[in-house]
Amino acid sequence: MEEQNVQNKTGRREYIGLVTSDKMDKTIVVSVTTKKLHGLYKKYVTSIKKVKAHDENNEAHVGDRVRVVEVRPISKEKCWKLAEIVEKAK
């Protein structure tokens, strides 16, 4: 569950994460996990970032691995959009 932050030619950020909630209409909550090496203690620290993403057709469900792309603000907390479902939940 490594963070995959990629800059496109358009300058938009992308994340690949796990859907943790799909209870809202046309909105999903995606958890993006990152692992960074601590400078002093040389241990890996895991941090989780939760982003709300726009899912127009309510396609994604809990447990799916998805790719989200940064877009203009859609609402107060939504500035990400579902690009594709990488892997469906089992």
Side-chain angles (χ1 to χ4, degrees):
M1 287 196 239
E2 291 291 315
E3 171 189 345
Q4 297 183 5
N5 186 0
V6 182
Q7 291 282 344
N8 286 348
K9 294 176 186 174
T10 58
R12 294 181 175 177
R13 291 185 294 169
E14 291 184 354
Y15 287 136
I16 293 181
L18 210 62
V19 177
T20 54
S21 174
D22 63 347
K23 293 183 178 181
M24 295 170 276
D25 188 32
K26 296 186 179 183
T27 304
I28 55 174
V29 179
V30 180
S31 294
V32 180
T33 305
T34 61
K35 281 189 173 184
K36 290 185 180 179
L37 186 65
H38 193 279
L40 178 62
Y41 300 114
K42 306 298 184 211
K43 292 202 172 198
Y44 283 96
V45 179
T46 304
S47 63
I48 297 174
K49 179 190 295 189
K50 285 185 172 183
V51 295
K52 289 185 180 166
H54 185 66
D55 181 10
E56 182 64 37
N57 301 323
N58 291 321
E59 301 168 340
H61 299 291
V62 175
D64 293 350
R65 182 168 302 286
V66 295
R67 184 168 60 90
V68 291
V69 179
E70 190 176 33
V71 293
R72 65 177 180 82
I74 299 170
S75 67
K76 180 182 174 184
E77 297 179 340
K78 266 200 303 191
C79 59
W80 296 88
K81 181 180 170 187
L82 175 69
E84 69 171 328
I85 298 174
V86 177
E87 180 183 343
K88 290 292 250 181
K90 296 176 183 173

